[in-house]
């Protein structure tokens, strides 16, 4: 079992729809969770981080964390073609080493 | 100016050559990281450094070495490049708190022929 798993996609949604990206992790002691967006050939850029169970909203983005189910998700409302990218889930493990473990990423395609 | 810079941005080299990739940061961060990215495999950690005298291997350190010349500089070397080291390489930095966000440089695309 991979430490951080994401469906590689591609996930295709029409413009204006809600895109739902999911991530599961294996280390039950993990405390911090990050979502990065990466355009093709570019570096990852942070969208959101979440530490506590529940929802965290920032503009069109909502991160959801359920530690009991070891599940973190990212919702993108009113999806735009410019949201088309690969979304990387990253988890800070319980060993407190500062090392992030990345999922393989989910490719999102938003069609006009 | 960018907070995290990498040089070169692109490099084509031949098998057996020694290559150095350099990373500099102006964020004042203590922690620096080197990752490689391959299609379908996500980002994998090569080496990381929590300060100038603290360097640690990541999950795929074989064939690589690093040098932390100063708080702001962290270099990655391939002593004898091989074709399966062809990849996109990223440097990242973060603050002292283990929950601090990692910020990535623009990447170096390395091709080993």
């Amino acid at each position: 079992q991979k430490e951080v798993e994401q469906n590689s996609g591609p996930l295709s949604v029409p413009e204006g729809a809600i895109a739902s990206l999911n991530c599961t992790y294996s280390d039950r002691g993990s405390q911090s969770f990050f979502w990065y967006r990466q355009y093709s050939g570019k570096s990852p850029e942070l969208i959101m981080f979440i530490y506590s169970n529940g929802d965290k909203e920032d503009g069109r983005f909502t991160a959801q964390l359920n530690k009991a189910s070891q599940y973190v998700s990212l919702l993108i409302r009113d999806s735009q073609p410019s949201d088309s990218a690969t979304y990387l889930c990253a988890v800070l493990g319980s060993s407190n080493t500062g090392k992030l473990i990345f999922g393989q990423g989910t490719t999102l395609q938003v069609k006009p | 100016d960018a907070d995290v810079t990498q040089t070169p941005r692109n490099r084509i080299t031949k098998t057996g050559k020694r290559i150095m990739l350099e990373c500099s940061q102006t964020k004042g961060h203590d922690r620096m990281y080197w990752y490689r990215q391959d299609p379908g495999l996500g980002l994998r950690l090569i080496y990381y450094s929590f300060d100038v005298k603290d360097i640690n291997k990541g999950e795929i350190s074989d064939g690589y070495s690093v040098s932390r010349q100063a708080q702001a500089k962290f270099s990655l070397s391939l002593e004898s490049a091989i074709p399966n080291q062809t990849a996109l390489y990223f440097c990242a930095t973060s603050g002292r708190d283990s929950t601090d966000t990692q910020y990535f440089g623009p990447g170096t695309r390395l091709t080993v022929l």
Side-chain angles (χ1 to χ4, degrees):
Chain A
Q1 180 188 7
K2 293 181 181 178
E3 293 182 74
V4 179
E5 292 203 56
Q6 297 179 254
N7 187 324
S8 60
L11 173 66
S12 183
V13 300
E15 184 175 356
I18 296 175
S20 177
L21 305 164
N22 304 314
C23 173
T24 59
Y25 59 95
S26 60
D27 183 350
R28 184 170 289 278
S30 298
Q31 295 295 321
S32 305
F33 307 86
F34 303 82
W35 282 101
Y36 285 83
R37 178 177 61 198
Q38 186 177 24
Y39 294 111
S40 181
K42 303 297 185 182
S43 60
E45 56 179 328
L46 183 72
I47 299 175
M48 293 189 70
F49 60 85
I50 186 167
Y51 304 144
S52 303
N53 274 330
D55 295 357
K56 180 181 179 182
E57 186 175 319
D58 183 1
R60 295 187 296 112
F61 299 95
T62 299
Q64 299 175 317
L65 175 61
N66 183 327
K67 290 185 178 180
S69 299
Q70 296 174 238
Y71 174 96
V72 58
S73 65
L74 179 70
L75 301 179
I76 306 175
R77 289 182 300 281
D78 188 25
S79 296
Q80 302 297 308
S82 59
D83 294 326
S84 298
T86 296
Y87 289 81
L88 302 170
C89 172
V91 176
L92 191 65
S94 59
S95 60
N96 201 32
T97 62
K99 293 192 300 181
L100 283 180
I101 307 299
F102 285 84
Q104 72 270 37
T106 297
T107 299
L108 174 66
Q109 297 174 346
V110 181
K111 299 191 174 181
Chain B
D1 288 341
D3 294 321
V4 185
T5 57
Q6 293 183 232
T7 57
R9 295 294 311 279
N10 289 282
R11 181 71 182 268
I12 299 174
T13 191
K14 294 182 179 180
T15 297
K17 295 292 187 180
R18 184 179 187 273
I19 294 295
M20 178 180 285
L21 308 182
E22 298 186 334
C23 176
S24 296
Q25 53 110 349
T26 58
K27 299 184 77 68
H29 285 165
D30 290 319
R31 301 182 173 195
M32 299 186 74
Y33 309 81
W34 275 105
Y35 293 91
R36 67 176 278 176
Q37 187 173 39
D38 301 274
L41 294 180
L43 285 161
R44 294 183 291 167
L45 184 63
I46 305 172
Y47 270 95
Y48 61 103
S49 170
F50 285 175
D51 64 40
V52 174
K53 295 183 179 180
D54 180 18
I55 294 177
N56 304 279
K57 293 182 177 180
E59 59 181 306
I60 54 163
S61 59
D62 287 349
Y64 302 94
S65 62
V66 291
S67 173
R68 185 82 183 265
Q69 300 96 324
Q71 186 205 33
K73 296 183 182 294
F74 193 34
S75 299
L76 176 71
S77 293
L78 288 69
E79 296 300 326
S80 180
I82 56 177
N84 76 0
Q85 291 177 312
T86 293
L88 189 55
Y89 290 84
F90 289 105
C91 172
T93 74
S94 70
R96 186 181 299 268
D97 191 321
S98 64
T99 60
D100 278 359
T101 300
Q102 290 189 19
Y103 296 91
F104 286 80
T108 295
R109 185 169 296 281
L110 176 66
T111 302
V112 183
L113 301 176

mmCIF file of all heavy atoms in Angstrom, chain A residues 22-46:
data_model
loop_
_atom_site.group_PDB
_atom_site.id
_atom_site.type_symbol
_atom_site.label_atom_id
_atom_site.label_comp_id
_atom_site.label_asym_id
_atom_site.label_seq_id
_atom_site.Cartn_x
_atom_site.Cartn_y
_atom_site.Cartn_z
ATOM 1 N N ASN A 22 -9.642 13.485 -4.371
ATOM 2 C CA ASN A 22 -9.557 12.703 -3.147
ATOM 3 C C ASN A 22 -8.157 12.156 -2.900
ATOM 4 O O ASN A 22 -7.384 11.916 -3.844
ATOM 5 C CB ASN A 22 -10.543 11.543 -3.218
ATOM 6 C CG ASN A 22 -11.958 12.025 -3.473
ATOM 7 O OD1 ASN A 22 -12.420 12.973 -2.849
ATOM 8 N ND2 ASN A 22 -12.636 11.388 -4.417
ATOM 9 N N CYS A 23 -7.873 11.913 -1.633
ATOM 10 C CA CYS A 23 -6.553 11.433 -1.227
ATOM 11 C C CYS A 23 -6.717 10.604 0.045
ATOM 12 O O CYS A 23 -7.433 11.007 0.964
ATOM 13 C CB CYS A 23 -5.648 12.649 -0.982
ATOM 14 S SG CYS A 23 -4.026 12.304 -0.291
ATOM 15 N N THR A 24 -6.093 9.452 0.092
ATOM 16 C CA THR A 24 -6.060 8.659 1.315
ATOM 17 C C THR A 24 -4.616 8.470 1.747
ATOM 18 O O THR A 24 -3.698 8.509 0.914
ATOM 19 C CB THR A 24 -6.727 7.284 1.127
ATOM 20 O OG1 THR A 24 -6.046 6.584 0.076
ATOM 21 C CG2 THR A 24 -8.189 7.420 0.787
ATOM 22 N N TYR A 25 -4.426 8.267 3.047
ATOM 23 C CA TYR A 25 -3.071 8.120 3.562
ATOM 24 C C TYR A 25 -3.023 6.980 4.563
ATOM 25 O O TYR A 25 -4.036 6.632 5.166
ATOM 26 C CB TYR A 25 -2.575 9.438 4.174
ATOM 27 C CG TYR A 25 -3.425 9.949 5.319
ATOM 28 C CD1 TYR A 25 -3.110 9.662 6.635
ATOM 29 C CD2 TYR A 25 -4.561 10.728 5.062
ATOM 30 C CE1 TYR A 25 -3.885 10.122 7.670
ATOM 31 C CE2 TYR A 25 -5.344 11.196 6.098
ATOM 32 C CZ TYR A 25 -5.006 10.899 7.394
ATOM 33 O OH TYR A 25 -5.781 11.360 8.427
ATOM 34 N N SER A 26 -1.845 6.415 4.741
ATOM 35 C CA SER A 26 -1.753 5.204 5.555
ATOM 36 C C SER A 26 -1.275 5.461 6.995
ATOM 37 O O SER A 26 -1.565 4.669 7.886
ATOM 38 C CB SER A 26 -0.801 4.211 4.886
ATOM 39 O OG SER A 26 0.495 4.763 4.761
ATOM 40 N N ASP A 27 -0.536 6.561 7.225
ATOM 41 C CA ASP A 27 0.008 6.844 8.550
ATOM 42 C C ASP A 27 -1.060 7.515 9.412
ATOM 43 O O ASP A 27 -1.341 8.701 9.250
ATOM 44 C CB ASP A 27 1.245 7.736 8.426
ATOM 45 C CG ASP A 27 1.915 8.018 9.767
ATOM 46 O OD1 ASP A 27 1.333 7.697 10.834
ATOM 47 O OD2 ASP A 27 3.029 8.569 9.756
ATOM 48 N N ARG A 28 -1.634 6.763 10.338
ATOM 49 C CA ARG A 28 -2.738 7.277 11.137
ATOM 50 C C ARG A 28 -2.328 8.461 12.018
ATOM 51 O O ARG A 28 -3.155 9.255 12.419
ATOM 52 C CB ARG A 28 -3.309 6.137 11.993
ATOM 53 C CG ARG A 28 -4.526 6.507 12.807
ATOM 54 C CD ARG A 28 -5.166 5.275 13.435
ATOM 55 N NE ARG A 28 -5.820 4.437 12.426
ATOM 56 C CZ ARG A 28 -7.035 4.676 11.947
ATOM 57 N NH1 ARG A 28 -7.729 5.720 12.365
ATOM 58 N NH2 ARG A 28 -7.572 3.876 11.058
ATOM 59 N N GLY A 29 -1.033 8.562 12.295
ATOM 60 C CA GLY A 29 -0.553 9.655 13.133
ATOM 61 C C GLY A 29 -0.255 10.946 12.395
ATOM 62 O O GLY A 29 0.176 11.927 13.002
ATOM 63 N N SER A 30 -0.490 10.966 11.109
ATOM 64 C CA SER A 30 -0.200 12.177 10.326
ATOM 65 C C SER A 30 -1.013 13.352 10.834
ATOM 66 O O SER A 30 -2.173 13.200 11.220
ATOM 67 C CB SER A 30 -0.510 11.939 8.846
ATOM 68 O OG SER A 30 0.298 10.910 8.324
ATOM 69 N N GLN A 31 -0.389 14.527 10.820
ATOM 70 C CA GLN A 31 -1.027 15.695 11.433
ATOM 71 C C GLN A 31 -1.311 16.828 10.449
ATOM 72 O O GLN A 31 -2.193 17.639 10.683
ATOM 73 C CB GLN A 31 -0.126 16.236 12.546
ATOM 74 C CG GLN A 31 0.058 15.282 13.705
ATOM 75 C CD GLN A 31 -1.235 15.022 14.441
ATOM 76 O OE1 GLN A 31 -2.051 15.926 14.636
ATOM 77 N NE2 GLN A 31 -1.450 13.777 14.841
ATOM 78 N N SER A 32 -0.546 16.906 9.379
ATOM 79 C CA SER A 32 -0.668 18.059 8.486
ATOM 80 C C SER A 32 -0.820 17.588 7.052
ATOM 81 O O SER A 32 -0.148 16.635 6.633
ATOM 82 C CB SER A 32 0.577 18.956 8.590
ATOM 83 O OG SER A 32 0.797 19.332 9.918
ATOM 84 N N PHE A 33 -1.685 18.308 6.333
ATOM 85 C CA PHE A 33 -2.051 17.858 4.997
ATOM 86 C C PHE A 33 -2.062 19.059 4.057
ATOM 87 O O PHE A 33 -2.548 20.133 4.425
ATOM 88 C CB PHE A 33 -3.421 17.187 5.029
ATOM 89 C CG PHE A 33 -3.490 16.101 6.059
ATOM 90 C CD1 PHE A 33 -3.811 16.405 7.384
ATOM 91 C CD2 PHE A 33 -3.189 14.801 5.728
ATOM 92 C CE1 PHE A 33 -3.831 15.420 8.356
ATOM 93 C CE2 PHE A 33 -3.220 13.806 6.696
ATOM 94 C CZ PHE A 33 -3.532 14.111 8.000
ATOM 95 N N PHE A 34 -1.521 18.862 2.873
ATOM 96 C CA PHE A 34 -1.323 19.971 1.942
ATOM 97 C C PHE A 34 -1.849 19.583 0.570
ATOM 98 O O PHE A 34 -1.732 18.433 0.140
ATOM 99 C CB PHE A 34 0.165 20.309 1.830
ATOM 100 C CG PHE A 34 0.828 20.660 3.141
ATOM 101 C CD1 PHE A 34 1.262 19.666 4.001
ATOM 102 C CD2 PHE A 34 1.021 21.981 3.510
ATOM 103 C CE1 PHE A 34 1.877 19.977 5.214
ATOM 104 C CE2 PHE A 34 1.638 22.302 4.709
ATOM 105 C CZ PHE A 34 2.058 21.298 5.562
ATOM 106 N N TRP A 35 -2.395 20.557 -0.115
ATOM 107 C CA TRP A 35 -2.754 20.401 -1.526
ATOM 108 C C TRP A 35 -1.931 21.376 -2.353
ATOM 109 O O TRP A 35 -1.917 22.586 -2.078
ATOM 110 C CB TRP A 35 -4.237 20.671 -1.758
ATOM 111 C CG TRP A 35 -5.129 19.537 -1.358
ATOM 112 C CD1 TRP A 35 -5.863 19.423 -0.212
ATOM 113 C CD2 TRP A 35 -5.385 18.346 -2.111
ATOM 114 N NE1 TRP A 35 -6.546 18.233 -0.204
ATOM 115 C CE2 TRP A 35 -6.277 17.553 -1.357
ATOM 116 C CE3 TRP A 35 -4.948 17.872 -3.346
ATOM 117 C CZ2 TRP A 35 -6.742 16.320 -1.807
ATOM 118 C CZ3 TRP A 35 -5.411 16.649 -3.791
ATOM 119 C CH2 TRP A 35 -6.300 15.881 -3.024
ATOM 120 N N TYR A 36 -1.230 20.819 -3.355
ATOM 121 C CA TYR A 36 -0.451 21.619 -4.283
ATOM 122 C C TYR A 36 -1.066 21.485 -5.680
ATOM 123 O O TYR A 36 -1.583 20.432 -6.052
ATOM 124 C CB TYR A 36 1.004 21.138 -4.345
ATOM 125 C CG TYR A 36 1.858 21.499 -3.159
ATOM 126 C CD1 TYR A 36 1.835 20.732 -1.997
ATOM 127 C CD2 TYR A 36 2.717 22.602 -3.210
ATOM 128 C CE1 TYR A 36 2.643 21.065 -0.912
ATOM 129 C CE2 TYR A 36 3.524 22.934 -2.128
ATOM 130 C CZ TYR A 36 3.476 22.163 -0.990
ATOM 131 O OH TYR A 36 4.268 22.488 0.082
ATOM 132 N N ARG A 37 -0.954 22.541 -6.444
ATOM 133 C CA ARG A 37 -1.355 22.529 -7.849
ATOM 134 C C ARG A 37 -0.093 22.624 -8.699
ATOM 135 O O ARG A 37 0.815 23.416 -8.394
ATOM 136 C CB ARG A 37 -2.274 23.714 -8.163
ATOM 137 C CG ARG A 37 -2.709 23.818 -9.617
ATOM 138 C CD ARG A 37 -3.670 24.990 -9.790
ATOM 139 N NE ARG A 37 -3.062 26.248 -9.441
ATOM 140 C CZ ARG A 37 -3.753 27.357 -9.162
ATOM 141 N NH1 ARG A 37 -5.083 27.338 -9.186
ATOM 142 N NH2 ARG A 37 -3.116 28.465 -8.868
ATOM 143 N N GLN A 38 -0.045 21.829 -9.758
ATOM 144 C CA GLN A 38 1.125 21.839 -10.628
ATOM 145 C C GLN A 38 0.677 21.865 -12.083
ATOM 146 O O GLN A 38 0.042 20.930 -12.566
ATOM 147 C CB GLN A 38 2.016 20.614 -10.372
ATOM 148 C CG GLN A 38 3.314 20.643 -11.152
ATOM 149 C CD GLN A 38 4.218 19.471 -10.855
ATOM 150 O OE1 GLN A 38 3.762 18.408 -10.427
ATOM 151 N NE2 GLN A 38 5.512 19.658 -11.050
ATOM 152 N N TYR A 39 1.019 22.941 -12.758
ATOM 153 C CA TYR A 39 0.800 23.008 -14.197
ATOM 154 C C TYR A 39 1.939 22.261 -14.892
ATOM 155 O O TYR A 39 3.047 22.168 -14.365
ATOM 156 C CB TYR A 39 0.746 24.460 -14.669
ATOM 157 C CG TYR A 39 -0.450 25.223 -14.142
ATOM 158 C CD1 TYR A 39 -0.304 26.244 -13.214
ATOM 159 C CD2 TYR A 39 -1.727 24.918 -14.591
ATOM 160 C CE1 TYR A 39 -1.400 26.944 -12.731
ATOM 161 C CE2 TYR A 39 -2.832 25.607 -14.111
ATOM 162 C CZ TYR A 39 -2.659 26.617 -13.177
ATOM 163 O OH TYR A 39 -3.750 27.305 -12.704
ATOM 164 N N SER A 40 1.651 21.764 -16.079
ATOM 165 C CA SER A 40 2.600 20.943 -16.809
ATOM 166 C C SER A 40 3.951 21.646 -16.971
ATOM 167 O O SER A 40 4.021 22.773 -17.470
ATOM 168 C CB SER A 40 2.025 20.596 -18.185
ATOM 169 O OG SER A 40 2.922 19.779 -18.901
ATOM 170 N N GLY A 41 5.006 20.999 -16.531
ATOM 171 C CA GLY A 41 6.353 21.544 -16.670
ATOM 172 C C GLY A 41 6.712 22.612 -15.659
ATOM 173 O O GLY A 41 7.817 23.151 -15.702
ATOM 174 N N LYS A 42 5.791 22.918 -14.747
ATOM 175 C CA LYS A 42 6.038 23.956 -13.736
ATOM 176 C C LYS A 42 6.203 23.334 -12.363
ATOM 177 O O LYS A 42 6.026 22.141 -12.172
ATOM 178 C CB LYS A 42 4.872 24.954 -13.726
ATOM 179 C CG LYS A 42 4.603 25.608 -15.060
ATOM 180 C CD LYS A 42 5.767 26.451 -15.513
ATOM 181 C CE LYS A 42 5.441 27.199 -16.799
ATOM 182 N NZ LYS A 42 6.612 27.997 -17.278
ATOM 183 N N SER A 43 6.551 24.172 -11.395
ATOM 184 C CA SER A 43 6.751 23.672 -10.041
ATOM 185 C C SER A 43 5.426 23.642 -9.277
ATOM 186 O O SER A 43 4.497 24.385 -9.584
ATOM 187 C CB SER A 43 7.771 24.541 -9.313
ATOM 188 O OG SER A 43 7.327 25.880 -9.249
ATOM 189 N N PRO A 44 5.343 22.779 -8.271
ATOM 190 C CA PRO A 44 4.121 22.746 -7.446
ATOM 191 C C PRO A 44 3.958 24.053 -6.669
ATOM 192 O O PRO A 44 4.933 24.623 -6.182
ATOM 193 C CB PRO A 44 4.394 21.577 -6.489
ATOM 194 C CG PRO A 44 5.450 20.758 -7.158
ATOM 195 C CD PRO A 44 6.292 21.727 -7.898
ATOM 196 N N GLU A 45 2.724 24.498 -6.553
ATOM 197 C CA GLU A 45 2.427 25.684 -5.753
ATOM 198 C C GLU A 45 1.327 25.326 -4.763
ATOM 199 O O GLU A 45 0.364 24.633 -5.087
ATOM 200 C CB GLU A 45 2.006 26.860 -6.637
ATOM 201 C CG GLU A 45 0.837 26.576 -7.536
ATOM 202 C CD GLU A 45 0.424 27.770 -8.378
ATOM 203 O OE1 GLU A 45 0.577 28.910 -7.913
ATOM 204 O OE2 GLU A 45 -0.071 27.552 -9.501
ATOM 205 N N LEU A 46 1.481 25.803 -3.541
ATOM 206 C CA LEU A 46 0.541 25.472 -2.481
ATOM 207 C C LEU A 46 -0.815 26.126 -2.721
ATOM 208 O O LEU A 46 -0.898 27.316 -3.016
ATOM 209 C CB LEU A 46 1.089 25.938 -1.127
ATOM 210 C CG LEU A 46 0.208 25.575 0.065
ATOM 211 C CD1 LEU A 46 0.290 24.083 0.341
ATOM 212 C CD2 LEU A 46 0.619 26.385 1.288
#
